[in-house]
Amino acid sequence: MRVPRMIAVTLAGVAVLAPAAACSSDEPAPGKNPQAATAPPADATPTPEPTHPFTGLPGAARRAVLAAKIENTSAGKPQLGLKSADIVYVEQVEAGLTRLMAIFSSKIPPKIGPVRSARISDLHIVPQFGKPAFAYSGAQTKMLPIIAQSSLFDVSDSRAPGAYFRQPGRYAPYNLFANTRELLAQAPKATRAKDVGFTFGDAPEGGVPKKTFSVKYPAARFTFSWSEATGKWLIWQDGEKDMAAEGGQLGAPTIVVQYTKTERSEFHDKNQSYTPLVHSTGKGGAIVLRDGKAFKAKWSRETEEDGTVFTTEAGEPMNFAPGQVWVVLAARKPVIP
């Protein structure tokens, strides 16, 4: 009796497998789209990964924008956090010296500094970033109402004191540093990164091979030296290597020397040295350093809310090399302090 029973079980198994085999045929199962499981062609072009508008690098989230005023004299060096900045602006200030404004979004370093006081030129640059968080330490009294009306979230040491600290081993006023997480926590609605006019990609034809390029201010001098090994223009200031507190020499794949009209503003320091006003709207000439070459370019910015567009002399987009960009706001005839 056991043998017929085993035969019955076997036949039942065959009956169960038969429908399954039918479903594996070339005919689609009922209710199924025959194209749904079709693999894409081997030569299909993948969708390019979005790039960051400040650096042209892929995979960078468009986080809130933090602008910070950073010291740029020997007393405040080496600076902390500049290596992580997307854009670094160089501006002339009183006495013919310079100060930096660093723009952070794709990378936010934990700490930055030394943080110094704001200047009138800053307030004309930041509107192109929407309404960023702006970190600074103090400003001239009669400039405070202008800051209050500007397109920014004030995260200065007076508005967000808990974000700032004094760095041991440095002396005032060059020892004020800030925690970026706490700065941005005070500006939860700060504008996220958006297009500011930069384009990235292959270099245009032409260009003049350069090993070094210098920019002079009344009391400061920058030299940018091309390093094939790093693919960057390494930065020297006043004859010394510009070193980062994190280690290594500062440098960037693209240096933009943007020639602007610079004149005396209504503001001046306690020594009666006038604060220069850098006109960053309008149009003018520029030199773009990338890939070991210097390219003549033009720039234009219609309003303060617009980004700055750079083109070749022929009117084509002046592509930058992907990575950090330094914008050196210079004047062919620098204002005398």
Side-chain angles (χ1 to χ4, degrees):
M1 294 298 295
R2 297 180 62 185
V3 173
R5 186 177 179 184
M6 292 178 62
I7 294 173
V9 172
T10 302
L11 291 174
V14 172
V16 171
L17 292 173
C23 290
S24 65
S25 68
D26 292 337
E27 296 183 5
K32 298 292 185 179
N33 184 350
Q35 298 180 349
T38 303
D43 59 349
T45 303
T47 302
E49 189 174 1
T51 58
H52 198 280
F54 297 171
T55 65
L57 294 173
R62 297 196 178 192
R63 302 185 182 93
V65 179
L66 170 64
K69 200 67 182 175
I70 304 295
E71 172 65 28
N72 196 43
T73 62
S74 58
K77 294 188 177 186
Q79 301 104 323
L80 179 65
L82 287 181
K83 294 184 78 171
S84 298
D86 295 324
I87 308 169
V88 178
Y89 288 93
V90 180
E91 305 170 48
Q92 184 182 337
V93 292
E94 299 83 6
L97 299 170
T98 61
R99 193 162 286 180
L100 308 178
M101 183 165 66
I103 307 296
F104 302 93
S105 175
S106 66
K107 296 179 182 178
I108 308 292
K111 301 175 182 179
I112 56 174
V115 179
R116 296 300 309 276
S117 54
R119 293 295 185 274
I120 188 62
S121 297
D122 306 332
L123 308 183
H124 295 287
I125 295 173
V126 294
Q128 66 187 310
F129 298 100
K131 196 172 182 180
F134 183 40
Y136 66 98
S137 173
Q140 293 181 30
T141 303
K142 65 179 182 179
M143 209 175 92
L144 295 178
I146 303 176
I147 294 176
Q149 298 173 5
S150 297
S151 181
L152 55 86
F153 287 99
D154 188 335
V155 291
S156 62
D157 60 338
S158 61
R159 292 298 185 93
Y164 292 82
F165 63 95
R166 296 290 176 177
Q167 179 68 32
R170 304 208 185 196
Y171 59 91
Y174 310 106
N175 61 348
L176 186 65
F177 286 66
N179 291 300
T180 56
R181 179 176 294 183
E182 295 183 32
L183 290 173
L184 289 171
Q186 297 299 315
K189 295 184 179 181
T191 303
R192 295 181 180 275
K194 62 184 184 68
D195 179 24
V196 289
F198 293 178
T199 61
F200 297 86
D202 294 335
E205 294 183 359
V208 178
K210 287 281 185 181
K211 292 184 178 180
T212 62
F213 191 94
S214 295
V215 178
K216 294 181 180 180
Y217 294 89
R221 185 179 80 257
F222 285 84
T223 299
F224 306 100
S225 179
W226 175 247
S227 168
E228 191 72 39
T230 64
K232 295 180 179 180
W233 293 88
L234 300 180
I235 301 171
W236 300 65
Q237 187 174 345
D238 301 327
E240 301 290 336
K241 289 183 178 181
D242 218 349
M243 305 301 290
E246 301 94 320
Q249 188 172 358
L250 292 172
T254 304
I255 306 292
V256 181
V257 182
Q258 182 180 346
Y259 292 105
T260 66
K261 179 182 178 181
T262 304
E263 60 185 359
R264 287 184 174 185
S265 72
E266 62 181 293
F267 304 98
H268 54 77
D269 64 15
K270 62 183 179 180
N271 297 318
Q272 301 302 307
S273 179
Y274 279 87
T275 301
L277 173 59
V278 178
H279 291 272
S280 55
T281 55
K283 59 181 63 176
I287 298 293
V288 175
L289 305 176
R290 60 163 295 177
D291 305 328
K293 291 184 177 182
F295 297 86
K296 288 185 178 180
K298 298 178 180 179
W299 67 268
S300 64
R301 183 181 173 211
E302 291 187 9
T303 71
E304 293 186 353
E305 288 71 31
D306 293 318
T308 308
V309 176
F310 293 89
T311 62
T312 65
E313 290 190 302
E316 299 296 324
M318 179 63 239
N319 290 338
F320 298 164
Q324 187 182 75
V325 178
W326 278 56
V327 180
V328 184
L329 297 170
R332 298 188 186 279
K333 294 182 178 180
V335 62
I336 304 301

